[in-house]
Each structure stands twice: as structure tokens, then as C-alpha cells.
PDB file of all heavy atoms in Angstrom:
ATOM      1  N   LEU A   1       0.827  -1.189  -0.002  1.00  0.00           N
ATOM      2  CA  LEU A   1      -0.011   0.000   0.000  1.00  0.00           C
ATOM      3  C   LEU A   1       0.869   1.254  -0.020  1.00  0.00           C
ATOM      4  O   LEU A   1       0.710   2.077  -0.879  1.00  0.00           O
ATOM      5  CB  LEU A   1      -0.940  -0.043   1.199  1.00  0.00           C
ATOM      6  CG  LEU A   1      -2.212  -0.892   1.087  1.00  0.00           C
ATOM      7  CD1 LEU A   1      -2.902  -1.035   2.389  1.00  0.00           C
ATOM      8  CD2 LEU A   1      -3.150  -0.283  -0.015  1.00  0.00           C
ATOM      9  N   PRO A   2       1.842   1.435   0.939  1.00  0.00           N
ATOM     10  CA  PRO A   2       2.634   2.641   0.900  1.00  0.00           C
ATOM     11  C   PRO A   2       3.596   2.634  -0.338  1.00  0.00           C
ATOM     12  O   PRO A   2       3.947   3.729  -0.861  1.00  0.00           O
ATOM     13  CB  PRO A   2       3.380   2.638   2.222  1.00  0.00           C
ATOM     14  CG  PRO A   2       3.266   1.230   2.731  1.00  0.00           C
ATOM     15  CD  PRO A   2       1.997   0.706   2.138  1.00  0.00           C
ATOM     16  N   PHE A   3       3.982   1.499  -0.805  1.00  0.00           N
ATOM     17  CA  PHE A   3       4.870   1.470  -1.960  1.00  0.00           C
ATOM     18  C   PHE A   3       4.183   1.956  -3.200  1.00  0.00           C
ATOM     19  O   PHE A   3       4.713   2.796  -3.919  1.00  0.00           O
ATOM     20  CB  PHE A   3       5.362  -0.007  -2.249  1.00  0.00           C
ATOM     21  CG  PHE A   3       6.188  -0.094  -3.583  1.00  0.00           C
ATOM     22  CD1 PHE A   3       7.452   0.402  -3.637  1.00  0.00           C
ATOM     23  CD2 PHE A   3       5.612  -0.798  -4.637  1.00  0.00           C
ATOM     24  CE1 PHE A   3       8.216   0.259  -4.792  1.00  0.00           C
ATOM     25  CE2 PHE A   3       6.347  -0.886  -5.744  1.00  0.00           C
ATOM     26  CZ  PHE A   3       7.658  -0.369  -5.902  1.00  0.00           C
ATOM     27  N   SER A   4       2.887   1.535  -3.412  1.00  0.00           N
ATOM     28  CA  SER A   4       2.114   2.046  -4.558  1.00  0.00           C
ATOM     29  C   SER A   4       1.701   3.455  -4.389  1.00  0.00           C
ATOM     30  O   SER A   4       1.637   4.198  -5.327  1.00  0.00           O
ATOM     31  CB  SER A   4       0.930   1.121  -4.769  1.00  0.00           C
ATOM     32  OG  SER A   4       0.052   1.087  -3.609  1.00  0.00           O
ATOM     33  N   LEU A   5       1.557   3.881  -3.001  1.00  0.00           N
ATOM     34  CA  LEU A   5       1.286   5.247  -2.715  1.00  0.00           C
ATOM     35  C   LEU A   5       2.490   6.099  -3.159  1.00  0.00           C
ATOM     36  O   LEU A   5       2.327   7.211  -3.751  1.00  0.00           O
ATOM     37  CB  LEU A   5       1.049   5.474  -1.235  1.00  0.00           C
ATOM     38  CG  LEU A   5       0.780   6.758  -0.597  1.00  0.00           C
ATOM     39  CD1 LEU A   5       0.023   6.644   0.597  1.00  0.00           C
ATOM     40  CD2 LEU A   5       2.122   7.447  -0.285  1.00  0.00           C
ATOM     41  N   MET A   6       3.652   5.656  -2.874  1.00  0.00           N
ATOM     42  CA  MET A   6       4.911   6.381  -3.219  1.00  0.00           C
ATOM     43  C   MET A   6       5.033   6.581  -4.717  1.00  0.00           C
ATOM     44  O   MET A   6       5.438   7.625  -5.158  1.00  0.00           O
ATOM     45  CB  MET A   6       6.087   5.685  -2.696  1.00  0.00           C
ATOM     46  CG  MET A   6       7.375   6.356  -2.878  1.00  0.00           C
ATOM     47  SD  MET A   6       8.863   5.283  -2.985  1.00  0.00           S
ATOM     48  CE  MET A   6       8.631   4.415  -4.511  1.00  0.00           C
ATOM     49  N   GLN A   7       4.612   5.603  -5.568  1.00  0.00           N
ATOM     50  CA  GLN A   7       4.748   5.673  -6.966  1.00  0.00           C
ATOM     51  C   GLN A   7       3.979   6.814  -7.499  1.00  0.00           C
ATOM     52  O   GLN A   7       4.352   7.507  -8.535  1.00  0.00           O
ATOM     53  CB  GLN A   7       4.275   4.326  -7.585  1.00  0.00           C
ATOM     54  CG  GLN A   7       5.233   3.153  -7.376  1.00  0.00           C
ATOM     55  CD  GLN A   7       4.756   1.852  -7.955  1.00  0.00           C
ATOM     56  OE1 GLN A   7       3.560   1.495  -7.781  1.00  0.00           O
ATOM     57  NE2 GLN A   7       5.531   1.137  -8.581  1.00  0.00           N
ATOM     58  N   ILE A   8       2.817   7.136  -6.868  1.00  0.00           N
ATOM     59  CA  ILE A   8       2.060   8.289  -7.317  1.00  0.00           C
ATOM     60  C   ILE A   8       2.467   9.557  -6.767  1.00  0.00           C
ATOM     61  O   ILE A   8       2.569  10.595  -7.440  1.00  0.00           O
ATOM     62  CB  ILE A   8       0.525   7.986  -6.916  1.00  0.00           C
ATOM     63  CG1 ILE A   8      -0.026   6.817  -7.577  1.00  0.00           C
ATOM     64  CG2 ILE A   8      -0.351   9.269  -7.094  1.00  0.00           C
ATOM     65  CD1 ILE A   8      -0.128   7.008  -9.071  1.00  0.00           C
ATOM     66  N   ALA A   9       2.845   9.570  -5.464  1.00  0.00           N
ATOM     67  CA  ALA A   9       3.123  10.815  -4.719  1.00  0.00           C
ATOM     68  C   ALA A   9       4.635  11.321  -4.812  1.00  0.00           C
ATOM     69  O   ALA A   9       4.871  12.468  -4.490  1.00  0.00           O
ATOM     70  CB  ALA A   9       2.683  10.716  -3.329  1.00  0.00           C
ATOM     71  N   LEU A  10       5.528  10.475  -5.175  1.00  0.00           N
ATOM     72  CA  LEU A  10       6.930  10.783  -5.115  1.00  0.00           C
ATOM     73  C   LEU A  10       7.233  11.972  -6.155  1.00  0.00           C
ATOM     74  O   LEU A  10       7.916  12.892  -5.841  1.00  0.00           O
ATOM     75  CB  LEU A  10       7.852   9.644  -5.519  1.00  0.00           C
ATOM     76  CG  LEU A  10       9.324   9.867  -5.562  1.00  0.00           C
ATOM     77  CD1 LEU A  10       9.768  10.335  -4.078  1.00  0.00           C
ATOM     78  CD2 LEU A  10      10.084   8.605  -5.908  1.00  0.00           C
ATOM     79  N   SER A  11       6.673  11.870  -7.326  1.00  0.00           N
ATOM     80  CA  SER A  11       6.854  12.928  -8.339  1.00  0.00           C
ATOM     81  C   SER A  11       6.272  14.256  -7.849  1.00  0.00           C
ATOM     82  O   SER A  11       6.862  15.329  -8.062  1.00  0.00           O
ATOM     83  CB  SER A  11       6.370  12.530  -9.727  1.00  0.00           C
ATOM     84  OG  SER A  11       4.945  12.266  -9.597  1.00  0.00           O
ATOM     85  N   LEU A  12       5.128  14.224  -7.203  1.00  0.00           N
ATOM     86  CA  LEU A  12       4.564  15.354  -6.649  1.00  0.00           C
ATOM     87  C   LEU A  12       5.335  16.021  -5.560  1.00  0.00           C
ATOM     88  O   LEU A  12       5.580  17.154  -5.516  1.00  0.00           O
ATOM     89  CB  LEU A  12       3.081  15.047  -6.169  1.00  0.00           C
ATOM     90  CG  LEU A  12       2.080  14.555  -7.167  1.00  0.00           C
ATOM     91  CD1 LEU A  12       0.826  14.137  -6.498  1.00  0.00           C
ATOM     92  CD2 LEU A  12       1.797  15.698  -8.232  1.00  0.00           C
ATOM     93  N   LEU A  13       5.964  15.049  -4.707  1.00  0.00           N
ATOM     94  CA  LEU A  13       6.743  15.562  -3.608  1.00  0.00           C
ATOM     95  C   LEU A  13       7.988  16.268  -4.192  1.00  0.00           C
ATOM     96  O   LEU A  13       8.307  17.337  -3.670  1.00  0.00           O
ATOM     97  CB  LEU A  13       7.129  14.358  -2.794  1.00  0.00           C
ATOM     98  CG  LEU A  13       8.111  14.605  -1.612  1.00  0.00           C
ATOM     99  CD1 LEU A  13       7.451  15.379  -0.530  1.00  0.00           C
ATOM    100  CD2 LEU A  13       8.688  13.249  -1.114  1.00  0.00           C
ATOM    101  N   ALA A  14       8.632  15.682  -5.137  1.00  0.00           N
ATOM    102  CA  ALA A  14       9.869  16.386  -5.779  1.00  0.00           C
ATOM    103  C   ALA A  14       9.556  17.602  -6.417  1.00  0.00           C
ATOM    104  O   ALA A  14      10.249  18.627  -6.292  1.00  0.00           O
ATOM    105  CB  ALA A  14      10.551  15.376  -6.701  1.00  0.00           C
ATOM    106  N   ARG A  15       8.396  17.690  -7.141  1.00  0.00           N
ATOM    107  CA  ARG A  15       7.972  18.956  -7.759  1.00  0.00           C
ATOM    108  C   ARG A  15       7.685  19.944  -6.750  1.00  0.00           C
ATOM    109  O   ARG A  15       7.988  21.220  -6.948  1.00  0.00           O
ATOM    110  CB  ARG A  15       6.706  18.583  -8.666  1.00  0.00           C
ATOM    111  CG  ARG A  15       6.340  19.905  -9.490  1.00  0.00           C
ATOM    112  CD  ARG A  15       4.882  19.656 -10.054  1.00  0.00           C
ATOM    113  NE  ARG A  15       3.928  19.589  -8.911  1.00  0.00           N
ATOM    114  CZ  ARG A  15       2.562  19.366  -9.063  1.00  0.00           C
ATOM    115  NH1 ARG A  15       2.147  19.026 -10.271  1.00  0.00           N
ATOM    116  NH2 ARG A  15       1.794  19.336  -8.100  1.00  0.00           N
ATOM    117  N   ASP A  16       6.871  19.605  -5.715  1.00  0.00           N
ATOM    118  CA  ASP A  16       6.349  20.731  -4.781  1.00  0.00           C
ATOM    119  C   ASP A  16       7.426  21.180  -3.806  1.00  0.00           C
ATOM    120  O   ASP A  16       7.302  22.328  -3.402  1.00  0.00           O
ATOM    121  CB  ASP A  16       5.144  20.168  -4.072  1.00  0.00           C
ATOM    122  CG  ASP A  16       3.899  19.824  -5.032  1.00  0.00           C
ATOM    123  OD1 ASP A  16       3.990  20.329  -6.140  1.00  0.00           O
ATOM    124  OD2 ASP A  16       3.107  19.047  -4.671  1.00  0.00           O
ATOM    125  N   THR A  17       8.317  20.318  -3.410  1.00  0.00           N
ATOM    126  CA  THR A  17       9.274  20.709  -2.415  1.00  0.00           C
ATOM    127  C   THR A  17      10.608  21.057  -2.945  1.00  0.00           C
ATOM    128  O   THR A  17      11.303  22.050  -2.420  1.00  0.00           O
ATOM    129  CB  THR A  17       9.571  19.553  -1.415  1.00  0.00           C
ATOM    130  OG1 THR A  17      10.073  18.415  -2.102  1.00  0.00           O
ATOM    131  CG2 THR A  17       8.300  19.058  -0.626  1.00  0.00           C
ATOM    132  N   LEU A  18      11.062  20.520  -4.034  1.00  0.00           N
ATOM    133  CA  LEU A  18      12.284  20.820  -4.622  1.00  0.00           C
ATOM    134  C   LEU A  18      12.264  21.534  -5.980  1.00  0.00           C
ATOM    135  O   LEU A  18      13.245  21.946  -6.536  1.00  0.00           O
ATOM    136  CB  LEU A  18      13.223  19.568  -4.847  1.00  0.00           C
ATOM    137  CG  LEU A  18      13.472  18.703  -3.574  1.00  0.00           C
ATOM    138  CD1 LEU A  18      14.218  17.448  -3.882  1.00  0.00           C
ATOM    139  CD2 LEU A  18      14.295  19.538  -2.565  1.00  0.00           C
ATOM    140  N   HIS A  19      11.059  21.725  -6.425  1.00  0.00           N
ATOM    141  CA  HIS A  19      10.730  22.423  -7.692  1.00  0.00           C
ATOM    142  C   HIS A  19      11.430  21.756  -8.951  1.00  0.00           C
ATOM    143  O   HIS A  19      11.918  22.376  -9.754  1.00  0.00           O
ATOM    144  CB  HIS A  19      11.123  23.870  -7.649  1.00  0.00           C
ATOM    145  CG  HIS A  19      10.559  24.514  -6.368  1.00  0.00           C
ATOM    146  ND1 HIS A  19       9.104  24.803  -6.213  1.00  0.00           N
ATOM    147  CD2 HIS A  19      11.134  24.981  -5.271  1.00  0.00           C
ATOM    148  CE1 HIS A  19       8.959  25.388  -4.971  1.00  0.00           C
ATOM    149  NE2 HIS A  19      10.133  25.492  -4.459  1.00  0.00           N
ATOM    150  N   TRP A  20      11.414  20.349  -8.904  1.00  0.00           N
ATOM    151  CA  TRP A  20      12.005  19.644 -10.007  1.00  0.00           C
ATOM    152  C   TRP A  20      11.148  19.594 -11.211  1.00  0.00           C
ATOM    153  O   TRP A  20       9.903  19.580 -11.054  1.00  0.00           O
ATOM    154  CB  TRP A  20      12.435  18.255  -9.474  1.00  0.00           C
ATOM    155  CG  TRP A  20      13.668  18.226  -8.621  1.00  0.00           C
ATOM    156  CD1 TRP A  20      14.457  19.237  -8.209  1.00  0.00           C
ATOM    157  CD2 TRP A  20      14.277  17.026  -8.094  1.00  0.00           C
ATOM    158  NE1 TRP A  20      15.468  18.782  -7.456  1.00  0.00           N
ATOM    159  CE2 TRP A  20      15.425  17.432  -7.445  1.00  0.00           C
ATOM    160  CE3 TRP A  20      13.981  15.654  -8.213  1.00  0.00           C
ATOM    161  CZ2 TRP A  20      16.239  16.536  -6.706  1.00  0.00           C
ATOM    162  CZ3 TRP A  20      14.838  14.766  -7.556  1.00  0.00           C
ATOM    163  CH2 TRP A  20      15.947  15.181  -6.831  1.00  0.00           C
ATOM    164  N   GLY A  21      11.831  19.364 -12.340  1.00  0.00           N
ATOM    165  CA  GLY A  21      11.147  19.134 -13.616  1.00  0.00           C
ATOM    166  C   GLY A  21      11.035  17.676 -13.898  1.00  0.00           C
ATOM    167  O   GLY A  21      11.599  16.896 -13.088  1.00  0.00           O
ATOM    168  N   PRO A  22      10.462  17.302 -15.023  1.00  0.00           N
ATOM    169  CA  PRO A  22      10.349  15.816 -15.363  1.00  0.00           C
ATOM    170  C   PRO A  22      11.640  15.109 -15.404  1.00  0.00           C
ATOM    171  O   PRO A  22      11.684  13.922 -15.008  1.00  0.00           O
ATOM    172  CB  PRO A  22       9.557  15.907 -16.675  1.00  0.00           C
ATOM    173  CG  PRO A  22       8.883  17.217 -16.802  1.00  0.00           C
ATOM    174  CD  PRO A  22       9.807  18.204 -15.993  1.00  0.00           C
ATOM    175  N   ALA A  23      12.627  15.660 -15.964  1.00  0.00           N
ATOM    176  CA  ALA A  23      13.900  14.950 -16.129  1.00  0.00           C
ATOM    177  C   ALA A  23      14.494  14.685 -14.765  1.00  0.00           C
ATOM    178  O   ALA A  23      14.952  13.473 -14.556  1.00  0.00           O
ATOM    179  CB  ALA A  23      14.852  15.787 -16.939  1.00  0.00           C
ATOM    180  N   GLN A  24      14.495  15.573 -13.818  1.00  0.00           N
ATOM    181  CA  GLN A  24      14.986  15.321 -12.493  1.00  0.00           C
ATOM    182  C   GLN A  24      14.084  14.282 -11.721  1.00  0.00           C
ATOM    183  O   GLN A  24      14.677  13.522 -11.012  1.00  0.00           O
ATOM    184  CB  GLN A  24      15.026  16.662 -11.719  1.00  0.00           C
ATOM    185  CG  GLN A  24      16.140  17.650 -12.259  1.00  0.00           C
ATOM    186  CD  GLN A  24      15.942  19.043 -11.631  1.00  0.00           C
ATOM    187  OE1 GLN A  24      14.936  19.628 -11.728  1.00  0.00           O
ATOM    188  NE2 GLN A  24      17.016  19.515 -10.884  1.00  0.00           N
ATOM    189  N   VAL A  25      12.840  14.470 -11.924  1.00  0.00           N
ATOM    190  CA  VAL A  25      11.960  13.489 -11.218  1.00  0.00           C
ATOM    191  C   VAL A  25      12.152  12.076 -11.722  1.00  0.00           C
ATOM    192  O   VAL A  25      12.252  11.110 -10.919  1.00  0.00           O
ATOM    193  CB  VAL A  25      10.441  13.842 -11.429  1.00  0.00           C
ATOM    194  CG1 VAL A  25       9.495  12.748 -10.957  1.00  0.00           C
ATOM    195  CG2 VAL A  25      10.145  15.238 -10.690  1.00  0.00           C
ATOM    196  N   SER A  26      12.441  11.999 -13.069  1.00  0.00           N
ATOM    197  CA  SER A  26      12.631  10.587 -13.585  1.00  0.00           C
ATOM    198  C   SER A  26      13.922   9.942 -13.030  1.00  0.00           C
ATOM    199  O   SER A  26      14.012   8.773 -12.905  1.00  0.00           O
ATOM    200  CB  SER A  26      12.786  10.655 -15.101  1.00  0.00           C
ATOM    201  OG  SER A  26      13.993  11.334 -15.514  1.00  0.00           O
ATOM    202  N   SER A  27      14.841  10.811 -12.555  1.00  0.00           N
ATOM    203  CA  SER A  27      16.095  10.153 -11.980  1.00  0.00           C
ATOM    204  C   SER A  27      15.811   9.485 -10.705  1.00  0.00           C
ATOM    205  O   SER A  27      16.562   8.460 -10.372  1.00  0.00           O
ATOM    206  CB  SER A  27      17.118  11.341 -11.678  1.00  0.00           C
ATOM    207  OG  SER A  27      16.631  12.172 -10.690  1.00  0.00           O
ATOM    208  N   THR A  28      14.802   9.857  -9.958  1.00  0.00           N
ATOM    209  CA  THR A  28      14.382   9.153  -8.701  1.00  0.00           C
ATOM    210  C   THR A  28      13.922   7.766  -9.087  1.00  0.00           C
ATOM    211  O   THR A  28      14.175   6.746  -8.365  1.00  0.00           O
ATOM    212  CB  THR A  28      13.424   9.913  -7.906  1.00  0.00           C
ATOM    213  OG1 THR A  28      12.183  10.042  -8.610  1.00  0.00           O
ATOM    214  CG2 THR A  28      13.993  11.301  -7.531  1.00  0.00           C
ATOM    215  N   PHE A  29      13.088   7.609 -10.145  1.00  0.00           N
ATOM    216  CA  PHE A  29      12.596   6.344 -10.490  1.00  0.00           C
ATOM    217  C   PHE A  29      13.687   5.414 -11.113  1.00  0.00           C
ATOM    218  O   PHE A  29      13.641   4.207 -10.890  1.00  0.00           O
ATOM    219  CB  PHE A  29      11.435   6.460 -11.532  1.00  0.00           C
ATOM    220  CG  PHE A  29      10.139   7.044 -10.865  1.00  0.00           C
ATOM    221  CD1 PHE A  29       9.929   8.386 -11.036  1.00  0.00           C
ATOM    222  CD2 PHE A  29       9.306   6.169 -10.214  1.00  0.00           C
ATOM    223  CE1 PHE A  29       8.813   8.904 -10.371  1.00  0.00           C
ATOM    224  CE2 PHE A  29       8.148   6.702  -9.604  1.00  0.00           C
ATOM    225  CZ  PHE A  29       7.887   8.066  -9.694  1.00  0.00           C
ATOM    226  N   ILE A  30      14.639   6.072 -11.861  1.00  0.00           N
ATOM    227  CA  ILE A  30      15.785   5.209 -12.191  1.00  0.00           C
ATOM    228  C   ILE A  30      16.586   4.727 -11.002  1.00  0.00           C
ATOM    229  O   ILE A  30      17.039   3.571 -10.999  1.00  0.00           O
ATOM    230  CB  ILE A  30      16.704   6.097 -13.093  1.00  0.00           C
ATOM    231  CG1 ILE A  30      15.899   6.408 -14.429  1.00  0.00           C
ATOM    232  CG2 ILE A  30      17.991   5.424 -13.427  1.00  0.00           C
ATOM    233  CD1 ILE A  30      16.686   7.360 -15.369  1.00  0.00           C
ATOM    234  N   ALA A  31      16.676   5.517 -10.005  1.00  0.00           N
ATOM    235  CA  ALA A  31      17.363   5.137  -8.777  1.00  0.00           C
ATOM    236  C   ALA A  31      16.672   3.969  -8.132  1.00  0.00           C
ATOM    237  O   ALA A  31      17.336   3.047  -7.611  1.00  0.00           O
ATOM    238  CB  ALA A  31      17.433   6.362  -7.799  1.00  0.00           C
ATOM    239  N   VAL A  32      15.310   3.995  -8.119  1.00  0.00           N
ATOM    240  CA  VAL A  32      14.555   2.939  -7.568  1.00  0.00           C
ATOM    241  C   VAL A  32      14.905   1.592  -8.324  1.00  0.00           C
ATOM    242  O   VAL A  32      15.132   0.603  -7.656  1.00  0.00           O
ATOM    243  CB  VAL A  32      13.035   3.232  -7.620  1.00  0.00           C
ATOM    244  CG1 VAL A  32      12.228   1.862  -7.318  1.00  0.00           C
ATOM    245  CG2 VAL A  32      12.630   4.357  -6.737  1.00  0.00           C
ATOM    246  N   GLY A  33      14.920   1.641  -9.653  1.00  0.00           N
ATOM    247  CA  GLY A  33      15.184   0.445 -10.415  1.00  0.00           C
ATOM    248  C   GLY A  33      16.670  -0.074 -10.187  1.00  0.00           C
ATOM    249  O   GLY A  33      16.862  -1.285 -10.016  1.00  0.00           O
ATOM    250  N   VAL A  34      17.614   0.858 -10.174  1.00  0.00           N
ATOM    251  CA  VAL A  34      18.933   0.458  -9.976  1.00  0.00           C
ATOM    252  C   VAL A  34      19.153  -0.161  -8.550  1.00  0.00           C
ATOM    253  O   VAL A  34      19.850  -1.151  -8.363  1.00  0.00           O
ATOM    254  CB  VAL A  34      19.922   1.692 -10.147  1.00  0.00           C
ATOM    255  CG1 VAL A  34      21.370   1.293  -9.693  1.00  0.00           C
ATOM    256  CG2 VAL A  34      19.947   2.139 -11.544  1.00  0.00           C
ATOM    257  N   CYS A  35      18.512   0.459  -7.595  1.00  0.00           N
ATOM    258  CA  CYS A  35      18.619  -0.100  -6.161  1.00  0.00           C
ATOM    259  C   CYS A  35      18.008  -1.454  -6.090  1.00  0.00           C
ATOM    260  O   CYS A  35      18.497  -2.346  -5.368  1.00  0.00           O
ATOM    261  CB  CYS A  35      18.055   0.865  -5.156  1.00  0.00           C
ATOM    262  SG  CYS A  35      18.954   2.379  -4.855  1.00  0.00           S
ATOM    263  N   ASP A  36      16.877  -1.611  -6.824  1.00  0.00           N
ATOM    264  CA  ASP A  36      16.168  -2.914  -6.843  1.00  0.00           C
ATOM    265  C   ASP A  36      17.098  -4.029  -7.386  1.00  0.00           C
ATOM    266  O   ASP A  36      17.208  -5.158  -6.862  1.00  0.00           O
ATOM    267  CB  ASP A  36      14.937  -2.827  -7.648  1.00  0.00           C
ATOM    268  CG  ASP A  36      13.876  -3.830  -7.232  1.00  0.00           C
ATOM    269  OD1 ASP A  36      13.626  -3.977  -6.019  1.00  0.00           O
ATOM    270  OD2 ASP A  36      13.248  -4.437  -8.175  1.00  0.00           O
ATOM    271  N   ILE A  37      17.844  -3.743  -8.514  1.00  0.00           N
ATOM    272  CA  ILE A  37      18.699  -4.622  -9.134  1.00  0.00           C
ATOM    273  C   ILE A  37      19.919  -4.986  -8.168  1.00  0.00           C
ATOM    274  O   ILE A  37      20.193  -6.231  -7.833  1.00  0.00           O
ATOM    275  CB  ILE A  37      19.231  -4.059 -10.421  1.00  0.00           C
ATOM    276  CG1 ILE A  37      18.145  -3.940 -11.444  1.00  0.00           C
ATOM    277  CG2 ILE A  37      20.341  -5.060 -11.032  1.00  0.00           C
ATOM    278  CD1 ILE A  37      18.595  -3.177 -12.668  1.00  0.00           C
ATOM    279  N   ILE A  38      20.432  -3.968  -7.564  1.00  0.00           N
ATOM    280  CA  ILE A  38      21.681  -4.207  -6.648  1.00  0.00           C
ATOM    281  C   ILE A  38      21.147  -4.994  -5.420  1.00  0.00           C
ATOM    282  O   ILE A  38      21.848  -5.985  -5.005  1.00  0.00           O
ATOM    283  CB  ILE A  38      22.244  -2.912  -6.347  1.00  0.00           C
ATOM    284  CG1 ILE A  38      22.851  -2.225  -7.534  1.00  0.00           C
ATOM    285  CG2 ILE A  38      23.343  -3.123  -5.199  1.00  0.00           C
ATOM    286  CD1 ILE A  38      23.495  -0.852  -7.321  1.00  0.00           C
ATOM    287  N   ALA A  39      20.052  -4.610  -4.842  1.00  0.00           N
ATOM    288  CA  ALA A  39      19.568  -5.262  -3.623  1.00  0.00           C
ATOM    289  C   ALA A  39      19.321  -6.740  -3.780  1.00  0.00           C
ATOM    290  O   ALA A  39      19.667  -7.483  -3.006  1.00  0.00           O
ATOM    291  CB  ALA A  39      18.280  -4.509  -3.092  1.00  0.00           C
ATOM    292  N   GLN A  40      18.568  -7.042  -4.927  1.00  0.00           N
ATOM    293  CA  GLN A  40      18.170  -8.423  -5.100  1.00  0.00           C
ATOM    294  C   GLN A  40      19.279  -9.261  -5.785  1.00  0.00           C
ATOM    295  O   GLN A  40      19.266 -10.509  -5.517  1.00  0.00           O
ATOM    296  CB  GLN A  40      16.900  -8.504  -5.861  1.00  0.00           C
ATOM    297  CG  GLN A  40      15.745  -7.830  -5.199  1.00  0.00           C
ATOM    298  CD  GLN A  40      14.363  -8.118  -5.856  1.00  0.00           C
ATOM    299  OE1 GLN A  40      13.990  -9.228  -5.965  1.00  0.00           O
ATOM    300  NE2 GLN A  40      13.680  -7.015  -6.213  1.00  0.00           N
ATOM    301  N   GLY A  41      20.002  -8.606  -6.640  1.00  0.00           N
ATOM    302  CA  GLY A  41      21.051  -9.409  -7.316  1.00  0.00           C
ATOM    303  C   GLY A  41      22.353  -9.526  -6.635  1.00  0.00           C
ATOM    304  O   GLY A  41      23.107 -10.447  -6.844  1.00  0.00           O
ATOM    305  N   VAL A  42      22.691  -8.509  -5.778  1.00  0.00           N
ATOM    306  CA  VAL A  42      24.033  -8.492  -5.126  1.00  0.00           C
ATOM    307  C   VAL A  42      23.916  -8.714  -3.568  1.00  0.00           C
ATOM    308  O   VAL A  42      24.526  -9.544  -3.028  1.00  0.00           O
ATOM    309  CB  VAL A  42      24.797  -7.210  -5.514  1.00  0.00           C
ATOM    310  CG1 VAL A  42      26.119  -7.166  -4.764  1.00  0.00           C
ATOM    311  CG2 VAL A  42      24.928  -7.059  -7.015  1.00  0.00           C
ATOM    312  N   LEU A  43      23.151  -7.835  -2.866  1.00  0.00           N
ATOM    313  CA  LEU A  43      23.059  -7.811  -1.499  1.00  0.00           C
ATOM    314  C   LEU A  43      22.252  -9.036  -0.937  1.00  0.00           C
ATOM    315  O   LEU A  43      22.681  -9.596   0.089  1.00  0.00           O
ATOM    316  CB  LEU A  43      22.359  -6.606  -0.981  1.00  0.00           C
ATOM    317  CG  LEU A  43      23.110  -5.263  -1.202  1.00  0.00           C
ATOM    318  CD1 LEU A  43      22.299  -4.045  -0.706  1.00  0.00           C
ATOM    319  CD2 LEU A  43      24.434  -5.266  -0.463  1.00  0.00           C
ATOM    320  N   LEU A  44      21.253  -9.432  -1.647  1.00  0.00           N
ATOM    321  CA  LEU A  44      20.287 -10.478  -1.018  1.00  0.00           C
ATOM    322  C   LEU A  44      21.049 -11.809  -0.737  1.00  0.00           C
ATOM    323  O   LEU A  44      20.861 -12.267   0.292  1.00  0.00           O
ATOM    324  CB  LEU A  44      19.202 -10.697  -1.982  1.00  0.00           C
ATOM    325  CG  LEU A  44      18.052 -11.543  -1.432  1.00  0.00           C
ATOM    326  CD1 LEU A  44      17.424 -10.939  -0.198  1.00  0.00           C
ATOM    327  CD2 LEU A  44      17.059 -11.875  -2.466  1.00  0.00           C
TER     328      LEU A  44
END
């Protein structure tokens, strides 16, 4: 529930608090994917 909440609200959070544009916001989702790969493929 909070993970799917984050997927909707994270871009709004970055826009409203840091005044980021689409390119900067997309970097956070790329970071999510990269961390997911490292966490499950290397750390786990």
C-alpha cells in the first residue's frame, strides 16, 4: 500500500518541495530500479 502510494506521490513531492522538472523526477525512478537490481542481485 505505501509502496504504490509512493509511486503516485513521489513525483509530486519532488515537484512541490524541490521544484524539480520531469527529467529530475525521472532520476528518482531510475534510482529505484537500480537499487532494486543491486539489492536483489548482489546484496540479497
Side-chain angles (χ1 to χ4, degrees):
L1 280 169
F3 175 71
S4 56
L5 176 155
M6 184 206 70
Q7 291 177 313
I8 294 296
L10 182 61
S11 57
L12 298 172
L13 176 69
R15 183 197 67 186
D16 296 342
T17 59
L18 301 176
H19 310 292
W20 281 4
Q24 291 168 300
V25 171
S26 67
S27 68
T28 61
F29 289 97
I30 293 172
V32 169
V34 171
C35 289
D36 204 45
I37 294 170
I38 294 173
Q40 298 192 58
V42 179
L43 291 179
L44 186 63

